[in-house]
Amino acid sequence: MAVQFKKALITGGAGFIGSHIAETLVAEGCEVHVLDNLSSGHRENLAPVQDRVRFFEGDIRDPDALREAVQGCEVIFHEAALVSVPLSVKEPVSSAEINEMGTLQVLEAARKYGVRRVVLASSSAIYGDDPEMPKREEMPPRPLSPYAVQKLTGEFYARLYHELYGLETVCLRYFNVYGPRQDPSSPYSGVISIFMTLAAEKRPPSIYGDGEQSRDFVFVKDVVQANILAADTPGAGGERLNVGTGRSVTVNQLWGAVCRMTGLELSPNYEPPRAGDIRESLADIDRARNLLGFDPAFSFEEGLEKTLAWYTQQS
């Protein structure tokens, strides 16, 4: 996947998605800066490219850290965030400081220091529990959590910076991203990373609710593809685009697939539903396909096998 730009900053680049973007950009010969405060990211995520990226340990809320990291960069991939819905419910103010003010600081740094385009990680959480499926970008937002409100606020700021200052911004509404290096250590982690770790340890999972809630699970390498296309495609400035697969899987089906792949026969433990959780989620990706040429390359089964192989190696 050839890239047209020569130098990029990845905020949160030591995290799950950011480190995969870094790997791909380095492989394409791009000069990569990474800004991460290591609150949830890990230096070891960058181990495959550690000698070919410039790492800045710092916080997106710090204008001085941003000024140093962004020098000479044409593109910013803004991945840094507090990404947990439940944690945002528990700590709405501190999560807003990161997800709202941090995003505003990134956009302001881009404006001040001549960045051409900012690709922002947004979220399907902004759609809330609207029963209409699949989720289309023009649907009115119905956020059910502080996290969803914060991501929506970031989108509004991105649009304003595009319209007021001419900064090209593209907001990617991620659905449920999964893959190698997703941290399973927190109870707020992605369900696939938690399931994979439990399967490797031959322990049953806890499923919140009845397990019939559905998600559009998208493999991290496809998310990387969407980010690079969003950074390069002419005329994409000002857009907001779904990044998913257009297919949904229930949590029960997910655990069943993990059990089949690992040869386990373990029934899950069912717990009460969590506040802010969404019942159904499915992406309409026509806009990203038509505008960017985005085409997910990994089936759910293929992505799950690659993810399982990685978690098995870690156990």
Side-chain angles (χ1 to χ4, degrees):
M1 186 188 304
V3 299
Q4 304 303 313
F5 49 93
K6 301 299 184 185
K7 189 172 182 180
L9 167 64
I10 308 168
T11 71
F16 166 44
I17 298 173
S19 64
H20 283 278
I21 296 173
E23 268 193 80
T24 300
L25 292 182
V26 166
E28 292 298 328
C30 184
E31 184 179 347
V32 176
H33 288 188
V34 167
L35 176 66
D36 202 302
N37 67 1
L38 300 178
S39 61
S40 58
H42 306 281
R43 283 184 182 270
E44 54 264 34
N45 285 341
L46 292 166
V49 293
Q50 62 183 357
D51 297 329
R52 291 175 288 169
V53 301
R54 188 174 176 193
F55 183 82
F56 299 83
E57 186 171 348
D59 195 293
I60 57 170
R61 293 167 290 183
D62 180 355
D64 292 333
L66 280 164
R67 183 188 68 248
E68 185 180 8
V70 79
Q71 294 300 318
C73 292
E74 303 164 61
V75 175
I76 297 176
F77 296 93
H78 179 38
E79 297 294 322
L82 190 153
V83 298
S84 166
V85 167
L87 190 55
S88 79
V89 172
K90 182 180 178 183
E91 300 179 7
V93 175
S94 60
S95 61
E97 289 171 352
I98 299 166
N99 293 339
E100 293 183 19
M101 289 308 301
T103 294
L104 184 57
Q105 292 283 11
V106 169
L107 291 167
E108 181 63 5
R111 180 176 79 93
K112 288 175 67 175
Y113 302 114
V115 171
R116 174 179 60 83
R117 183 171 291 187
V118 181
V119 182
L120 298 95
S122 187
S123 173
S124 62
I126 69 164
Y127 295 115
D129 242 349
D130 189 320
E132 183 179 344
M133 293 290 165
K135 306 300 187 187
R136 294 171 288 103
E137 289 89 348
E138 61 269 23
M139 291 170 63
R142 294 174 58 176
L144 296 178
S145 65
Y147 172 77
V149 170
Q150 293 152 16
K151 284 297 184 180
L152 184 59
T153 300
E155 289 192 8
F156 280 126
Y157 275 125
R159 179 179 60 81
L160 283 173
Y161 268 72
H162 178 62
E163 294 177 355
L164 287 176
Y165 306 119
L167 175 66
E168 296 179 10
T169 59
V170 185
C171 298
L172 300 182
R173 293 176 175 173
Y174 296 165
F175 280 66
N176 286 71
V177 188
Y178 71 99
R181 297 203 292 268
Q182 192 170 30
D183 187 357
S185 62
S186 164
Y188 307 127
S189 298
V191 64
I192 289 184
S193 64
I194 294 173
F195 280 11
M196 290 297 180
T197 301
L198 292 171
E201 297 170 355
K202 296 181 171 55
R203 295 193 291 134
S206 292
I207 291 178
Y208 297 95
D210 61 7
E212 288 304 300
Q213 59 268 45
S214 63
R215 297 290 182 266
D216 187 329
F217 292 108
V218 56
F219 190 57
V220 66
K221 294 297 185 185
D222 286 326
V223 174
V224 172
Q225 177 203 155
N227 272 270
I228 293 174
L229 290 169
D232 264 344
T233 302
E239 289 288 342
R240 57 192 192 279
L241 303 166
N242 289 337
V243 177
T245 65
R247 299 181 300 275
S248 65
V249 177
T250 69
V251 176
N252 285 331
Q253 289 172 334
L254 167 62
W255 180 245
V258 171
C259 286
R260 287 193 300 274
M261 289 179 183
T262 57
L264 295 175
E265 294 184 11
L266 289 173
S267 297
N269 301 312
Y270 290 94
E271 306 286 347
R274 296 188 299 192
D277 275 356
I278 292 167
R279 181 70 179 175
E280 293 180 283
S281 186
L282 175 65
D284 181 327
I285 59 171
D286 285 351
R287 184 180 288 186
R289 182 178 281 123
N290 295 334
L291 181 65
L292 303 182
F294 172 61
D295 185 20
F298 292 85
S299 69
F300 177 67
E301 293 75 15
E302 184 182 2
L304 208 58
E305 287 173 357
K306 290 181 178 296
T307 306
L308 178 62
W310 186 84
Y311 279 100
T312 301
Q313 291 172 2
Q314 309 309 304
S315 64

